C-alpha cells in the first residue's frame, strides 16, 4: 500500500434552479477539476443537478456532536421566537 | 447528539437512540464493535458492486444490439457508482479507500459469492438483472432505514437506481421467452444455473447466522436471511410462471396455510465452498480486480503529480 490516496472532496448539488445546494456525498479526486467531473459522473447520472459545488473535506469545520446539547442550548428556552407563542383573537384576520 | 437518557452509560444511550429509530452520524459516539461491523458490512457491499461489474462487462462487446449495449454500459456504470457511494459511507467510519481495496485484493475482505459464477450466454445478463438484482433489492430496501446515517443515505441512492437494473433484466428474459424455441431454451438454461446461487445470496440459514441477532438489535440488518429468502421465492415464482419458465426446484409448491411457497433446501456445501474461494470464477475475478488496480497505478500517481505541479505554478504566478 502506498501513501498516494487522492484527497477527499465533499459534493453539494443544486437539484434545480431556485433551490439550495445540498450535500450528497463525497469522492476522491486529484484536484478540483477532476472532483467536478467525478461528481458529475457519480452523483448526476440521471439529471439530478443543474449546479455542483465541490469542497476539499479538510476545509470543512464541523460542530462537535458531543457538545451539541450545550452548543444549541441558547435557542432552547426562547419559545417567544415562534409565532405560535402568541395568542391572536379569533376575530383578527390576516395575521 | 440528542440525549434521550442522560443518566445511562454511553452504550445504553446509544441503544436508546437506535430503539427510537434515530440515526447515528459519523462523529457520534458508537461502540467499537458497531463501527467494525459496519465497516465490514459496508465495504463488503462496496466490493460486491465493484466485482459485480466484471461478469456483466464480459457481455458489453457482445450485446445483441446497440440499444442493449448502451443499456448494459449504463448499468455497469451504475454499479461503479454504487461502489463509490458505499466506499464513501464506509470512509466516514474512519477506514480509508486504500485500506479497503488492499483488503479486497489480499482476499481478506469478501464480496458477494454470486459474482463467482460465470456468465455464459446473453440470457445470463437477463438473469443477473432479473434475479440477482431482484435479490439485491430485497436486501437493500430495508437498509434505506438502517441506523447509520451515511449508509442509509447511500442505500436510498442505490435503491433508486437498482429498479432500472431489475426491469432491464426482466425485459431481456421476456424478449427471449417470446422469441424462437432455442431462445426460450437459452432463458430456461440461464434460470436453471442462476436460481440456486441467487437463493444463496441471502446468506446462511438463520440458525447458522450467529451475528444476525446483534445486527438486528443495531438495526444494520432489518430482516433475517430466511425471511428475505422466503420473500424472494414468493416474488419470483409467479414471475417465472409469467415468462413460461420453470424454477429448477421440484419442491416449489404454494402452501395455502402459510400463504407462501414451500421450496427445497439450498446446497450449503456449495455455498460454503464458493465463500471459501473455490467457486468457478473466484480466482479470475480477483485477478482481474488486482490487475486493473495495478495497471492503473501510474494514472493515479500522474494525476497527483499533475495537480501538485499546477498548484506550484499557480503559487509562483
Amino acid at each position: 500500500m502506498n501513501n498516494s490516496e487522492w484527497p477527499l472532496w465533499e459534493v453539494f448539488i443544486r437539484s434545480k434552479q431556485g433551490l439550495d445546494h445540498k450535500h450528497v456525498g463525497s469522492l476522491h479526486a486529484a484536484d478540483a477539476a477532476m472532483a467536478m467531473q467525478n461528481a458529475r459522473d457519480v452523483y448526476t447520472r440521471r439529471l439530478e443537478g443543474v449546479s455542483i459545488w465541490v469542497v476539499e473535506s479538510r476545509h470543512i469545520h464541523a460542530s462537535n456532536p458531543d457538545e451539541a446539547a450545550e452548543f444549541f442550548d441558547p435557542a432552547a428556552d426562547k419559545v417567544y421566537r415562534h409565532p405560535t407563542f402568541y395568542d391572536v383573537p379569533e376575530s383578527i384576520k390576516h395575521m | 447528539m440528542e440525549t434521550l437518557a442522560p443518566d445511562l452509560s454511553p452504550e445504553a444511550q446509544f441503544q436508546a437512540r437506535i430503539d427510537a429509530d434515530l440515526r447515528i452520524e459519523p462523529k457520534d459516539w458508537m461502540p467499537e464493535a458497531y463501527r467494525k461491523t459496519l465497516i465490514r458490512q459496508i465495504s463488503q457491499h462496496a466490493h460486491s458492486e465493484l466485482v459485480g461489474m466484471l461478469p456483466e462487462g464480459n457481455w458489453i462487446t457482445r450485446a445483441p444490439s446497440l440499444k442493449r449495449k448502451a443499456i448494459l454500459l449504463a448499468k455497469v456504470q451504475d454499479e461503479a457508482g454504487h461502489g463509490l457511494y458505499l466506499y464513501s459511507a464506509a470512509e466516514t467510519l474512519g477506514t480509508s479507500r486504500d485500506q479497503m481495496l488492499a483488503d479486497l485484493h489480499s482476499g481478506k475482505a469478501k464480496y458477494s459469492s454470486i459474482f463467482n459464477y460465470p456468465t455464459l450466454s446473453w440470457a445470463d445478463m437477463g438473469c443477473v438483472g432479473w434475479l440477482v438484482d431482484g435479490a439485491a433489492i430485497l436486501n437493500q430496501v430495508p437498509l434505506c432505514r438502517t441506523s447509520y446515517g451515511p449508509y442509509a443515505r447511500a442505500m436510498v441512492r442505490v435503491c433508486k437506481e437498482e429498479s432500472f437494473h431489475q426491469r432491464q433484466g426482466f425485459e431481456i428474459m421476456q424478449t427471449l421467452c417470446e422469441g424462437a424455441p432455442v431462445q426460450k431454451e437459452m432463458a430456461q438454461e440461464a434460470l436453471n444455473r442462476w436460481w440456486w446461487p441467487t437463493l444463496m445470496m441471502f446468506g446462511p440459514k438463520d440458525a447458522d447466522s450467529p451475528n444476525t441477532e446483534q445486527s438486528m438489535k443495531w438495526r444494520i440488518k432489518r430482516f433475517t436471511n430466511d425471511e428475505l429468502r422466503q420473500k424472494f421465492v414468493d416474488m419470483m415464482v409467479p414471475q417465472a410462471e409469467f415468462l413460461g419458465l420453470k424454477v429448477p426446484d421440484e419442491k416449489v409448491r404454494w402452501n395455502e396455510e402459510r400463504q407462501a411457497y414451500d421450496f427445497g433446501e439450498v446446497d450449503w456445501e456449495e455455498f460454503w465452498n464458493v465463500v471459501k474461494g473455490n467457486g468457478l470464477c473466484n480466482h479470475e475475478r480477483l485477478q482481474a480486480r488486482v490487475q486493473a488496480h495495478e495497471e492503473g497505478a501510474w494514472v493515479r500517481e500522474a494525476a497527483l503529480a499533475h495537480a501538485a505541479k499546477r498548484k506550484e505554478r499557480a503559487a509562483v504566478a
Side-chain angles (χ1 to χ4, degrees), chain B residues 205-219:
Chain B
K205 286 168 85 84
D206 290 351
D208 301 320
S209 178
N211 300 325
T212 292
E213 197 189 338
Q214 179 63 69
S215 291
M216 301 226 354
K217 203 174 154 216
W218 280 335
R219 299 199 184 170

Side-chain angles (χ1 to χ4, degrees), chain A:
Chain A
M1 219 173 70
N2 53 27
N3 226 356
S4 60
E5 202 169 80
W6 287 344
L8 190 66
W9 300 72
E10 300 301 321
V11 181
F12 301 81
I13 290 179
R14 185 199 298 286
S15 56
K16 66 177 196 190
Q17 216 58 13
L19 295 181
D20 296 327
H21 284 78
K22 196 177 152 211
H23 183 243
V24 295
S26 55
L27 50 78
H28 289 271
D31 58 23
M34 189 196 278
M36 194 60 86
Q37 284 188 351
N38 288 357
R40 178 199 60 191
D41 292 343
V42 178
Y43 292 105
T44 65
R45 285 194 302 284
R46 289 174 176 77
L47 300 174
E48 287 93 338
V50 294
S51 163
I52 299 176
W53 289 348
V54 289
V55 179
E56 235 190 291
S57 309
R58 64 188 175 94
H59 293 310
I60 291 185
H61 299 264
S63 62
N64 182 350
D66 295 334
E67 292 163 5
E70 304 91 282
F71 188 69
F72 294 105
D73 177 66
D77 59 354
K78 298 182 178 61
V79 285
Y80 45 83
R81 282 179 168 159
H82 298 277
T84 45
F85 177 73
Y86 303 92
D87 291 327
V88 178
E90 244 174 65
S91 57
I92 297 293
K93 304 289 178 211
H94 309 300
M95 188 177 282

Side-chain angles (χ1 to χ4, degrees), chain B residues 26-310:
Chain B
K27 291 188 171 174
D28 294 344
W29 186 90
M30 60 186 82
E32 233 7 74
Y34 176 83
R35 183 187 301 277
K36 268 199 186 146
T37 307
L38 267 180
I39 289 178
R40 186 168 48 84
Q41 182 174 331
I42 301 173
S43 64
Q44 197 168 311
H45 191 165
H47 298 329
S48 302
E49 300 284 355
L50 211 59
V51 176
M53 291 192 282
L54 298 170
E56 292 185 304
N58 181 32
W59 280 93
I60 289 175
T61 54
R62 290 178 286 157
S65 70
L66 190 58
K67 179 186 116 181
R68 294 290 187 203
K69 182 171 175 156
I71 291 172
L72 190 57
L73 264 174
K75 180 176 190 290
V76 172
Q77 197 188 5
D78 274 353
E79 311 295 2
H82 296 176
L84 292 174
Y85 306 150
L86 288 158
Y87 282 126
S88 295
E91 280 171 277
T92 64
L93 290 158
T95 182
S96 74
R97 187 78 55 104
D98 278 351
Q99 182 62 54
M100 288 185 276
L101 288 177
D103 288 347
L104 170 65
H105 297 159
S106 73
K108 185 183 164 205
K110 297 271 179 255
Y111 56 87
S112 178
S113 281
I114 194 76
F115 302 118
N116 290 321
Y117 289 85
T119 43
L120 302 178
S121 78
W122 174 250
D124 288 27
M125 292 300 94
C127 277
V128 168
W130 172 45
L131 296 177
V132 175
D133 290 323
I137 289 172
L138 273 183
N139 264 323
Q140 291 167 357
V141 166
L143 292 176
C144 296
R145 296 179 295 122
T146 196
S147 62
Y148 187 58
Y151 189 24
R153 293 192 285 274
M155 291 318 302
V156 169
R157 220 167 262 288
V158 169
C159 287
K160 265 190 203 159
E161 301 181 350
E162 204 73 56
S163 64
F164 136 58
H165 297 180
Q166 197 193 11
R167 286 183 186 200
Q168 68 87 36
F170 186 79
E171 195 198 64
I172 290 175
M173 294 303 279
Q174 198 182 351
T175 306
L176 289 171
C177 290
E178 289 167 357
V182 58
Q183 287 175 308
K184 186 161 184 184
E185 203 176 304
M186 190 163 95
Q188 181 65 57
E189 278 171 12
L191 173 60
N192 293 348
R193 272 182 284 118
W194 288 93
W195 177 255
W196 290 107
T198 310
L199 290 191
M200 295 177 199
M201 283 176 70
F202 298 99
K205 286 168 85 84
D206 290 351
D208 301 320
S209 178
N211 300 325
T212 292
E213 197 189 338
Q214 179 63 69
S215 291
M216 301 226 354
K217 203 174 154 216
W218 280 335
R219 299 199 184 170
I220 54 180
K221 185 169 182 173
R222 310 209 56 153
F223 294 97
T224 73
N225 298 350
D226 287 337
E227 283 168 354
L228 289 172
R229 200 169 0 251
Q230 178 71 58
K231 264 193 195 185
F232 180 79
V233 172
D234 292 346
M235 212 169 82
M236 287 301 171
V237 171
Q239 292 184 12
E241 276 168 10
F242 175 91
L243 292 171
L245 298 177
K246 203 180 163 309
V247 165
D249 178 356
E250 292 305 324
K251 293 195 172 138
V252 164
R253 195 160 290 115
W254 178 250
N255 184 326
E256 192 58 37
E257 201 177 312
R258 288 200 308 126
Q259 286 295 301
Y261 283 93
D262 292 336
F263 57 100
E265 189 72 27
V266 168
D267 180 350
W268 295 111
E269 201 175 320
E270 175 182 327
F271 170 80
W272 290 114
N273 202 30
V274 181
V275 169
K276 282 178 193 142
N278 304 320
L280 282 168
C281 298
N282 293 59
H283 182 70
E284 185 186 328
R285 299 288 185 242
L286 214 50
Q287 199 181 24
R289 259 312 305 160
V290 171
Q291 190 185 346
H293 190 71
E294 284 174 357
E295 288 177 358
W298 71 272
V299 179
R300 295 192 295 277
E301 284 160 24
L304 267 186
H306 177 67
K309 210 183 266 178
R310 279 182 49 156

